[in-house]
Each structure stands twice: as C-alpha cells, then as structure tokens.
C-alpha cells in the first residue's frame, strides 16, 4: 500500500525497533487487520493497515522503567501510565493510534492478536507461551498505523499454527500444573479466588516475593525469568486488586 498524502512518515521495522529499544521495549511482530477486527478509525479517519504488537520479554525494560518518574511518583498504575505515555507519543509521531491491553472491559483481544504476530501457543496457565521466552513476556500496547510495509512483517505470519509442535502437550511431567501450593491451575481453569487467598495469607510470601510458583516451574525460557524485584512488583499489583 502507498502512503497517503496525510501520512507524514512510515516507520520501517528497524525504526520501530530502535524507538522501542530506548525504553527496553520489544517489537513482538505485527499483523494485517481486516474488517472483521473492527478496529477504531485512526485520528485522520484512515483505516489501520497494520498493527504492531509491543511488549516486554524478561526483565530487559525493568531498570529503564524504574528510572522514570512514573515508577517514582507514588501514583497508582505506574506501568500502565508509562506504557500510555510511550504508546501515545509514537502513535502521534506516525499518524496512528495506540491500543492498550488494560483499556476495558471490554478488553482488546491482545492474546488473540499476539498469536497472529508471533509463534505463541496456549498454556495451562492461561498465559500464552513463546518458544524462546516461555511465560516470561507480556504486552504493553499495540500500534495501529495507516501504512503497512508487508516486507517488514515476520515470515512467521505465513506459518499456520497447526504446523508447530505443541510445547505444553509434549512437556515432560508438566511441572506447572503441580507447582502451585493451592492447586489454582486445574489444566482447564484458573482458580483466581484460591490464588488470591494464598497470596494474602502468611504462606504466600514466596509467590509474592519471587513470582508465581507455577510460572517459575515452566522449563521453557528460563533465561528470561523475571528478576525478583520485577516479579514482586507485578504480584503486588495483582494482589492489590484481588
Ligand atoms: C482479564 C485479564 C485477566 C484476568 C482473567 C479473568 C478471565 N478468566 O478472563 C485475571 C485477573 C485472572 C488475570 C490474571 C493475570 N494476567 Co491477565 N489479563 C486480562 C486482560 C486484561 C483481559 C483478558 C480478556 O478478557 N481479553 C478479552 C478476550 C476477548 O481476548 P482474547 O485475546 O481472546 O483473550 C482470551 C483468550 O486468549 C483466553 N485464553 C487464554 N489462554 C487460553 C487458553 C485456552 C486453552 C483457551 C481455550 C483460551 C485461552 O483467555 C483470554 C480471556 O478470556 C488481558 C489483557 C488483554 N487485553 O488481553 C491480560 C493478560 C491476558 N494477562 C496477562 C498476565 C501476565 C496476567 C498475570 C500473570 C498478571 C501478573 N501478575 O503478572 C495474572 C495471572 C494469570 C495466571 N494464570 O497466572 C498477560 C498475558 C501475557 C501472556 N504471556 O500471554 C495479558 C495479555 C496482559 C498483558 N499486558 O500482556 N488476567
């Protein structure tokens, strides 16, 4: 697709990667939306031609985020506010729109979108599992832009999910399913009440300080396990809401 007259610039994949890496964020791939995705119109009235998924892997972003005023100002939801500031600035720069995983309900289907952008699979923990990063990754925003550069989309986009081997079904012993001290994961469901009650109990210290034990039991992507301080930040945010 050719850039429209109102489009001031079209970032190449390399420019996107560079703009994100300043913040420790990672380009997680992109996908081409259709009418059925019902995305909102972009500020100039244009239709989104591509959606880039932006997120974090491991704790790469953590020292950069910790150094910002968002982390240090004592106000609620520092990570969401940091994501909003970066996503909105990049969207304005490139004539697009930033969409956030925490806007809702109803929520944007980030996990479904992500599965169109990179080789993710469902896992028994509800989280999507990545062959390299395991369960140690998340999304901070999606950038819907008016112009797509199809050559910049990853080759993965063309490989059907059925052609990939199943990481969790072939996992020896599935340790994630037996590691939770209160059996919050049944393999088919996540017992949020049991998890939350444990986190608030005197026995919940290990999960609160080092992160979810079931997530830590997964053998995939261990090199990307969140640092304890980063993991504890998410667990505090989670426990404060449940
Ligand atoms: C609501 C929500 C929750 C609820 C879930 C309630 C429920 N049963 O639906 C609660 C509070 C439990 C929760 C918890 C957590 N969540 Co949450 N959550 C979300 C949120 C905001 C919305 C999900 C949603 O309703 N989407 C709407 C539907 C239409 O979109 P969808 O893409 O189709 O998503 C659904 C399917 O993918 C389905 N699904 C997921 N896995 C599987 C597997 C199978 C087999 C099937 C059939 C379906 C299925 O579940 C989704 C919700 O219904 C998303 C962000 C987002 N916008 O997606 C994060 C999100 C899913 N959560 C995330 C995370 C990291 C967590 C936590 C680990 C938080 C933490 N402490 O760090 C915890 C713990 C969960 C765990 N198992 O360990 C990440 C997951 C990243 C990843 N690797 O996949 C997301 C994407 C947020 C992000 N910023 O990246 N979460």
């Amino acid at each position: 697709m050719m850039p429209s007259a109102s489009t001031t610039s079209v970032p190449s994949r390399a420019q996107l990667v560079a703009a994100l890496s300043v913040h420790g964020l990672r380009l997680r791939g992109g996908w081409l939306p259709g009418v059925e995705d019902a995305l909102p119109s972009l500020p100039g009235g244009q239709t989104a031609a591509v959606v880039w998924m932006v997120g974090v892997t491991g704790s790469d972003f953590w020292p950069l985020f910790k150094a910002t005023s968002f982390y240090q100002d004592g106000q609620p939801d520092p990570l969401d506010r940091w994501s909003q500031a970066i996503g909105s600035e990049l969207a304005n720069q490139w004539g697009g729109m930033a969409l956030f995983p925490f806007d809702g309900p109803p929520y944007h289907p980030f996990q479904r979108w992500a599965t169109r952008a990179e080789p993710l699979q469902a896992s028994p923990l509800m989280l999507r599992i990545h062959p390299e990063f395991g369960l140690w990754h998340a999304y901070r925003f999606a950038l819907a832009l008016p112009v797509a550069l199809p050559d910049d989309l990853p080759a993965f986009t063309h490989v059907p999910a059925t052609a990939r081997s199943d990481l969790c079904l072939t996992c020896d012993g599935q340790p994630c399913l037996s590691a939770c001290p209160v059996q919050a994961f049944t393999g088919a469901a996540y017992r949020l009440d049991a998890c939350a009650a444990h986190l608030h109990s005197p026995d919940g210290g290990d999960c609160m300080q080092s992160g979810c034990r079931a997530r830590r039991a997964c053998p995939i992507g261990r090199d990307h396990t969140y640092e304890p301080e980063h993991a504890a930040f998410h667990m505090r945010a989670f426990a404060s809401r449940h």
Side-chain angles (χ1 to χ4, degrees), residues 28 100-103 106-113 120 122-129 134-140 185 187 190 192 195 212 215 226 231 234-235 237-239 242:
R28 309 289 309 272
F100 298 95
F102 42 82
D103 272 351
Y107 295 106
H108 295 298
F110 261 73
Q111 289 184 307
R112 227 181 299 158
W113 288 353
L120 297 177
S123 81
L125 303 192
M126 194 190 83
L127 306 171
R128 296 290 152 142
I129 189 161
L135 300 170
W136 305 106
H137 67 99
Y139 301 89
R140 295 318 318 163
F185 300 101
Y190 168 49
L192 173 59
C195 172
C212 168
R215 204 173 178 184
Y226 291 169
H234 286 305
M235 295 308 287
F238 180 69
H242 301 284

Side-chain angles (χ1 to χ4, degrees), residues 24-205:
L25 289 166
R26 186 184 275 256
L27 184 64
R28 309 289 309 272
W31 52 276
L32 301 173
V35 183
E36 65 284 3
D37 293 306
L39 292 182
S41 296
L42 302 182
Q46 295 144 301
T47 305
V50 65
V51 179
W52 296 105
M53 303 299 290
V54 176
V56 301
T57 57
S59 294
D60 290 353
F61 81 105
W62 182 250
L64 291 152
F65 165 62
K66 258 189 79 179
T68 66
S69 58
F70 298 100
Y71 180 79
Q72 294 169 7
D73 66 11
Q75 298 302 306
D77 304 322
L79 188 55
D80 292 351
R81 290 186 290 117
W82 178 74
S83 308
Q84 255 158 348
I86 299 169
S88 303
E89 189 192 328
L90 294 179
N92 286 342
Q93 188 180 327
W94 288 317
M97 179 184 279
L99 303 162
F100 298 95
F102 42 82
D103 272 351
Y107 295 106
H108 295 298
F110 261 73
Q111 289 184 307
R112 227 181 299 158
W113 288 353
T115 307
R116 290 160 74 175
E118 53 184 342
L120 297 177
Q121 295 175 5
S123 81
L125 303 192
M126 194 190 83
L127 306 171
R128 296 290 152 142
I129 189 161
H130 185 283
E132 181 183 351
F133 309 118
L135 300 170
W136 305 106
H137 67 99
Y139 301 89
R140 295 318 318 163
F141 55 87
L143 264 186
L145 299 185
V147 181
L149 298 178
D151 289 350
D152 278 357
L153 288 171
F156 151 77
T157 310
H158 310 292
V159 181
T162 46
R164 301 177 222 135
S165 79
D166 192 306
L167 292 168
C168 297
L169 284 182
T170 56
C171 173
D172 189 10
Q174 296 192 314
C176 66
L177 287 178
S178 51
C180 174
V182 291
Q183 292 83 44
F185 300 101
T186 67
Y190 168 49
R191 298 167 56 227
L192 173 59
D193 290 353
C195 172
H198 177 70
L199 295 180
H200 290 288
S201 79
D203 294 338

